[in-house]
Amino acid sequence: MSNACSYRQIALSLCLVFCFYLPCCVKSDELQILLNLKSALNKSSTNVLDSWEAASSVCSFDGITCNAEGSVKEIELSSQKLMGVLPLDSICQLQSLDKLSLGYNLLYGAITEDLSNCVKLQYLDLGNNLFTGSFPDISALGELQYLYLNGSEFSGTFPWKSLENMTNLALLSLGDNPFNRTPFPDQILKLKKLNWLYLANCSIEGKIPPEIGDLTELRELELQYNYLSGEIPVEIGKLHKLWQLEIYNNELTGKLPVGLRNLTNLEYFDASANHLEGVISEVRYLTNLVTLQLFENQFTGEVPTELGEFKKLVNLSLYTNMLTGPLPQKLGSWADFDFIDVSENFLTGPIPPDMCKKGTMKGLLMLQNRFTGEIPVTYASCTTLKRFRVSNNSLSGIVPAGIWGLPNLNIIDIAYNQFEGPITSDIKNAKEIGIISAEYNRLSGELPEEISEAISLVKIELNNNQILGKIPHEIGELKRLSSLKLHNNGLSGSIPESLGSCASISNINMANNSLSGKIPSSLGYLPTLNSLNLSRNELSGKIPESFSSLKLTLFDLSYNRLTGPIPESLSIEAYNGSLARNPGLCSSTIRSFKQCPTDSGMSKDVRLLIVCFALGAMILLASLGCFLYLRRTEKYRDRSLKEVSWDFKSFHVLTFTEDEILDSIKRENLIGKGGSGNVYKVMLSNGAELAVKHIWNTDSHGRRKSRSTTPILGKRAGKEKEFDAEVQTLSSIRHVNVVKLYCSITSEDSSLLVYEYLPNGSLWDRLHTSRKMELDWDTRYEIAVGAAKGLEYLHHGCERPVIHRDVKSSNILLDEFFKPRIANFGLAKIVQANGGKDSTRVIAGTHGYIAPEYGYTYKVNEKSDVYSFGVVLMELVSGKRPIEPEFGDNKDIVSWVCSKLKNKQSVLSIVEPRIPDAFKEDAVKVLRIAMLCTTTLPALRPTMRTVVHMLEEAEPCKLVSIIINKDGDLKKKEAK
Ligand SMILES: *[C@@H]1O[C@H](CO)[C@@H](O)[C@H](O)[C@H]1NC(C)=O
Ligand SMILES: *[C@@H]1O[C@H](CO)[C@@H](O)[C@H](O)[C@H]1NC(C)=O
Ligand SMILES: *[C@@H]1O[C@H](CO)[C@@H](O)[C@H](O)[C@H]1NC(C)=O
């Protein structure tokens, strides 16, 4: 015994000898460790490790710093595109390592190693990688000063207890990880040296503890995007050094605490999107503020006049509160002021004139208030301005001419005021302008022909003004124009033939002017025209034959002076009202028009065609019914539905009324419950079936719906408009593999979306539930191709890409022939075609289908849908759900499939056993496409267009080569 003991002592002292007196031995070990690290990162697309050669000294390796004894002290390899599984065990054998910096790489895999050997570490950065699983205990790392683990996909419960004795910690960054919900961790409150605490978006709930005030070294405190509730503790006022305070997107209540005034060093303050109330006068002491964001709360009272004296302020976002009184008139006149959004308040008085004094302002958003006075002429030379939105106020006077020609302006929104004066020829300089929204004013004068030089125009909304003169024929040069609303003005002259070259136009409304002359036949050839209203003018001549081919949701030529025969396809009773009050029109089929001179004997075929048309378009008559007010009947079960008024918007020709829909929203008709709302089946009196989705307006409860906190990108003109715009876009989508949205019916607190009903339920039902059925391989393949085409259409077929955001088998519905249709666009947003790269930041999706990049960037684009679609393909092939207990903890179908790629036998075992052997090879082809779709790196995933292509071609050799060319790492990556 004692012998053994002393041997051990000898061994120990020998080791000491080796460690301290024979550094060269140590170094050869270190060489081995680093070469080992290099080979583990052999997937990296970087050459930073090229200098790591067995023949050189470790101290000469790029990214390595040694201490005086020649041992590795620092590894600095952040942002190097390193990809692979980190051999932490071996790295921790570097005895002198005090800095390990590997942030912003592509490291993956779970960290299961024991880090207790890394005792010397003072700096550990594993942030912004793609790890999986939970983070291990690190209580041995008592020397740590900097710890970055943010945005690295760590899940589960963080080992908060490890932080207990890390009293040297100055920086702690754990945010943007999908941790389990946790109260604010006490351990952090003991870290008195902390000056930077980043706990954003990591599921912290409950109150902000008052002891936070003891962390008096804090300069940055970021707690945004959590579930924090209760009041902001007064003790926060003790953080005198605080420079940045971010507590937005939580559930905080109460008032801004009085202590806040003591934070005189504060430059960045954001408490937006909470339930805060009371006055904001406390901020008047924060004279160093650069950015102040308090939007989407319930603040009342006035905007403190002191804000007008803040010398550094460049960004003020106070929208959607209940603020009153005027804005400080010197606001924004000091620093390089950038942006103001005070929309949706009750503010009064004039627009502060000097916010663009330094010539740097980009956004002026003041819509929906009670501002008065004129647009200060100073803004007419504010060339940096991108967004000018002052609609829904009581502004008046002449719009300064220069405003129309601001070269960077994207939107000018002055609607619903009392503005006067003409749209000037300055508009020719507005090369970036997409939207002119100026309806409901008193604008006068003529439309300048130079409007054709504003080539980015998508929407012109000038209805309900006093505009006179002709519509300039140059308007045909606006190739991107999609909506032209000129109704209720005093326009005269003829409709320019050139309008037919506005190939993107879908909506033309020129009703109630004094337009005369013939209707240009070119309008009949517009490929995307959906709504045409030329009623109440003095148009004459014949209805162009070309109109026969139009398929319109709204068509109105009534109250004109049209003559001659009504084109055959329009000769149906249903279009009767659209053509009424044109005494000169004749028809051989519609009785309410006079008979045309008979010589054109109609063939039977034509008659048949007319009958078909009549059926298909029963239509307009019925859609009139849609505008009826809600009939209050006893039938409603749902009280909340009964007592509200509904706004009905239809986008297709309809054969049902609002009442019919509302009557059917009752429990008996409930066919599904989803994340966003309940789904009802509605049987119409004519036997047709519809699906109605009832969505509660979660916004009215202030719950976070969107994670967008970049008001700089612009704020919508109220959620309703946004909703409408979205519904309108979605309803304009027509594709055999996309569910049709007929109309929306909205009230203050909920919305009904009326869709076509598909009898065979969802793919999820058919694969995984009690409604499961035998789907043979052909059917599965057809479903795969059809669904892919639907998604392809959403991504590439529309004017702007529509990202679905929640692709899953339960959102793929099946018609009576099991043809698939993509459904449920509740979460889809439109990505501007030109802004395509800065994908929108919205959290959405369903566990098991969510692409990995969600976890660390919250950025979604088409490629996130592609990932989800890949998961659906895997479901189709394997018959498994995306998450099954058999996959193991924290594993989903993607990692399960990857784990089966060892040999052919094992791959074939993925295919659902019920699929006959003869088809298994074909199923594996689809599986390969699924794997490409679920590649971790979005850039390596194919587009939906390519997916459709691959699915259609599905020639075995082609697919194999794609796999090998694109990505050899597909298989290895997930392998342990
Ligand atoms: C890359 O490294 C892994 C792990 O060390 C090893 O299994 C694999 O063979 C290496 N691949 C290449 C191409 O060197
Ligand atoms: C922190 O230190 C105390 C006292 O030395 C010790 O009891 C405790 O176990 C330590 N905590 C951790 C997590 O190591
Ligand atoms: C704010 O500062 C004042 C004066 O220095 C002090 O009396 C007060 O206690 C401070 N409040 C907080 C919450 O720190």
Side-chain angles (χ1 to χ4, degrees), residues 234 237-238 240 259 262:
V234 192
K238 294 201 274 181
H240 293 276
N262 287 9

Side-chain angles (χ1 to χ4, degrees), residues 705-722:
K705 185 173 80 171
S706 114
R707 286 193 174 235
S708 165
T709 55
T710 46
I712 290 172
L713 295 178
K715 166 73 167 50
R716 64 270 169 194
K719 278 143 203 145
E720 269 172 55
K721 282 188 191 166
E722 189 181 46

Side-chain angles (χ1 to χ4, degrees), residues 234-240 258-262:
V234 192
E235 289 77 4
I236 211 144
K238 294 201 274 181
L239 305 176
H240 293 276
V258 178
L260 203 65
R261 66 180 64 188
N262 287 9

Side-chain angles (χ1 to χ4, degrees), residues 638-642 644 646 661-662 664-666 670 672-682 691-698 723 745-755 824:
D638 194 340
R639 255 188 212 165
S640 45
L641 286 180
K642 198 167 158 186
V644 291
W646 294 85
I661 303 295
L662 290 172
S664 309
I665 304 304
K666 48 191 172 190
L670 189 67
K673 289 186 178 189
S676 44
N678 293 344
V679 182
Y680 299 84
K681 177 178 169 183
V682 173
V692 179
K693 183 154 197 165
H694 184 205
I695 304 169
W696 288 102
N697 217 338
T698 46
F723 177 85
I745 309 177
T746 48
S747 75
E748 197 154 337
D749 53 8
S750 64
S751 308
L752 300 170
L753 293 173
V754 182
Y755 293 99
N824 198 353

